[in-house]
Amino acid sequence: MAGNLKKFVKPRFIKTVDLPLMKALLARHAGKYRSFSVDLLDQEEELARDALHDLLAGSEDSYPEGLRGDLHRIAELGDARGLEVILTQADRQGVDLFPDIKTGDEAAPNKAHDPKHIALRVFLEHPDLFDSAADHMAMLTADRLHEYAGRERGVTIDLTEEKIEAFRTAVAELFRDAFLGDYCRVGDYVDGDEINVVISHGSTVSTMPVVEGQQERVISVRQISHAVLRYSEHTGMLRLARVRKAQQPEIAELFASIILDRPGFFDGDDAQDLYTLRPAELAGPGFAFDAAYDPLIEKVLIIEAAVDLMAPGKNGYPRVVRTLRSRDLGGDALQHFSSTPVSFHGPWRLGELVFRVLFRSEGKRQPQVTVKLRPPSVVQFRRTQHEARVMALIERNGLVNDRDDLELVGAAE
């Protein structure tokens, strides 16, 4: 979400935005303004823009709550990256987006080509396309995924509108009970063997002081958050992003019971025991990634590593009493521990690795992905077209725990 709406509603936007478009947006909330009328935009242009400026340049509390929500959603897609996502989704859906403005520049650049203007027009004229673009933007920016391993691989989804609606209703109740409001929208998208679900919902209410004239007031704002779920039919893995840790098991169970028709599918003892750094510990500071199998990976640099000194706790379980962290952008972060008392054959354990994967490219800028791996369940990186290669690199180097597909084996027998 655009955290600061003023970065979107700038004076030059107010001076150039298409007034009929803004009138259509503001008319969605007619009757809810305190000292503004939508009819003011029917005046002479200069007076209409002055009235629009007085409304939008003031505190957000002067807008109806619904308009605040609309403007925040439009702001999320009102930049160059958002425009790219909009155009991609329009192409996928076969929508010929705004042929009337597909013109070249004449005396000056066409103001209708401004990403903010296009996002506003899509919001008003193609709401389904806008929702799809907003969902895909959320998927692109979800970098920290919490993973749950299903009890078996190869479980496919028979996705129906009824299942999606039942899932939306159950999740909406969960969020409402967590004081996140009652707004909830669910979008589902298929990408090969992977099912993507984006849940748009309200966030925690925040308050902020604003000045109105000579008076200070406090207003309440509830922004929109986007939770992302990704399920692979091939591996049986469910990945969640932007979901509160306390709610992750509940949402995973709702997905299992409603979408998969498999209650308890993600309840296995090893459901979140997914990754290990044991191969790196056994190799010691000299551990290096083997990427020779993939011709597109040029090299892998270990740029940061954290080691924990373990000692028995009061309950008999080991606890961390000290942590050392090494950082070296040249790729020798792990090797630096060879000159310290750290020994992975004793009480020290490797707790986290951060590595950078550099890909071969003919372009001027070399593609790269920085990955944080922290057992037992955290792999964090910016999801790009190289995601599958990054996950294969992790698995090929023995950093993924083996899972016993007991139900699958039993069925085969």
Side-chain angles (χ1 to χ4, degrees):
M1 157 156 301
N4 185 352
L5 198 55
K6 300 308 178 189
K7 293 180 180 180
F8 177 78
V9 188
K10 293 181 179 179
R12 64 173 176 265
F13 172 79
I14 296 174
K15 291 178 181 178
T16 59
V17 67
D18 184 83
L19 288 176
L21 283 180
M22 283 304 300
K23 183 177 180 180
L25 178 67
L26 299 179
R28 289 163 50 92
H29 311 283
K32 299 180 181 179
Y33 301 95
R34 288 187 299 169
S35 56
F36 176 83
S37 171
V38 177
D39 293 336
L40 292 174
L41 297 190
D42 293 330
Q43 302 178 94
E44 180 184 340
E45 180 174 348
E46 184 175 353
L47 294 175
R49 293 195 185 278
D50 286 344
L52 184 61
H53 177 273
D54 291 342
L55 173 67
L56 298 181
S59 71
E60 287 190 36
D61 190 38
S62 62
Y63 317 159
E65 184 177 354
L67 177 60
R68 286 204 302 268
D70 288 351
L71 288 172
H72 274 291
R73 294 195 68 207
I74 296 168
E76 290 177 346
L77 294 175
D79 57 17
R81 188 176 186 184
L83 177 58
E84 182 178 352
V85 174
I86 287 174
L87 294 176
T88 299
Q89 294 310 308
D91 184 62
R92 288 180 177 176
Q93 297 182 22
V95 177
D96 185 13
L97 205 58
F98 312 139
D100 58 302
I101 63 170
K102 290 181 177 178
T103 59
D105 296 335
E106 296 181 359
N110 191 339
K111 64 182 181 182
H113 293 174
D114 187 317
K116 298 182 182 65
H117 295 214
I118 293 177
L120 171 58
R121 189 170 174 185
V122 172
F123 179 82
L124 292 170
E125 299 179 18
H126 298 276
D128 290 341
L129 173 60
F130 186 93
D131 286 345
S132 176
D135 289 345
H136 279 80
M137 176 67 86
M139 289 188 285
L140 287 173
T141 54
D143 59 351
R144 182 171 182 174
L145 301 180
H146 298 269
E147 299 177 304
Y148 285 78
R151 292 182 177 273
E152 59 182 279
R153 302 171 186 264
V155 175
T156 59
I157 292 180
D158 180 18
L159 204 59
T160 64
E161 292 184 6
E162 291 76 15
K163 284 186 177 181
I164 290 296
E165 177 57 24
F167 180 72
R168 188 203 67 80
T169 300
V171 170
E173 183 177 353
L174 177 66
F175 286 143
R176 184 174 60 249
D177 291 347
F179 309 108
L180 298 179
D182 54 8
Y183 172 76
C184 185
R185 181 182 63 81
V186 172
D188 60 281
Y189 308 91
V190 178
D191 183 10
D193 83 314
E194 190 170 80
I195 310 300
N196 294 270
V197 175
V198 179
I199 307 169
S200 303
H201 64 91
S203 62
T204 305
V205 171
S206 59
T207 58
M208 58 187 300
V210 297
V211 175
E212 188 173 300
Q214 298 297 317
Q215 302 294 320
E216 178 179 319
R217 299 193 304 113
V218 176
I219 65 172
S220 298
V221 178
R222 188 193 296 279
Q223 297 185 343
I224 295 177
S225 296
H226 301 281
V228 178
L229 281 67
R230 301 170 60 181
Y231 173 74
S232 169
E233 294 180 324
H234 176 66
T235 64
M237 297 287 295
L238 177 67
R239 297 178 169 91
L240 299 87
R242 300 185 185 137
V243 178
R244 289 179 177 179
K245 187 173 183 179
Q247 295 173 330
Q248 290 171 12
E250 294 176 89
I251 290 183
E253 176 56 26
L254 290 175
F255 186 90
S257 58
I258 298 174
I259 303 297
L260 292 180
D261 291 320
R262 295 286 190 95
F265 187 69
F266 301 109
D267 286 350
D269 292 338
D270 62 348
Q272 289 195 283
D273 187 14
L274 307 176
Y275 302 104
T276 177
L277 292 176
R278 190 58 181 160
E281 289 181 337
L282 294 174
F287 171 80
F289 281 90
D290 177 12
Y293 68 91
D294 190 335
L296 288 185
I297 297 180
E298 180 174 312
K299 56 183 174 181
V300 183
L301 305 176
I302 299 176
I303 62 174
E304 191 169 346
V307 294
D308 300 321
L309 179 62
M310 311 300 293
K314 294 180 180 179
N315 56 5
Y317 292 98
R319 64 183 182 89
V320 177
V321 295
R322 184 183 178 190
T323 297
L324 294 180
R325 186 172 291 272
S326 171
R327 180 174 174 83
D328 185 337
L329 297 180
D332 293 332
L334 191 58
Q335 295 182 21
H336 290 315
F337 287 117
S338 61
S339 60
T340 71
V342 170
S343 171
F344 297 136
H345 301 290
W348 291 91
R349 291 291 180 267
L350 184 59
E352 180 180 288
L353 274 186
V354 180
F355 54 93
R356 182 165 292 158
V357 186
L358 288 84
F359 296 91
R360 290 185 172 86
S361 173
E362 297 179 358
K364 294 182 179 179
R365 179 174 298 178
Q366 184 175 29
Q368 56 183 260
V369 177
T370 301
V371 184
K372 177 185 293 185
L373 175 60
R374 184 171 66 247
S377 61
V378 174
V379 169
Q380 181 178 351
F381 61 94
R382 178 173 49 86
R383 306 286 158 162
T384 68
Q385 69 269 28
H386 299 296
E387 177 179 355
R389 283 193 156 83
V390 171
M391 297 306 298
L393 175 71
I394 294 171
E395 185 169 6
R396 289 286 292 262
N397 282 268
L399 305 182
V400 177
N401 283 327
D402 292 331
R403 288 196 291 124
D404 295 327
D405 295 323
L406 298 178
E407 296 183 20
L408 187 60
V409 173
E413 292 177 349

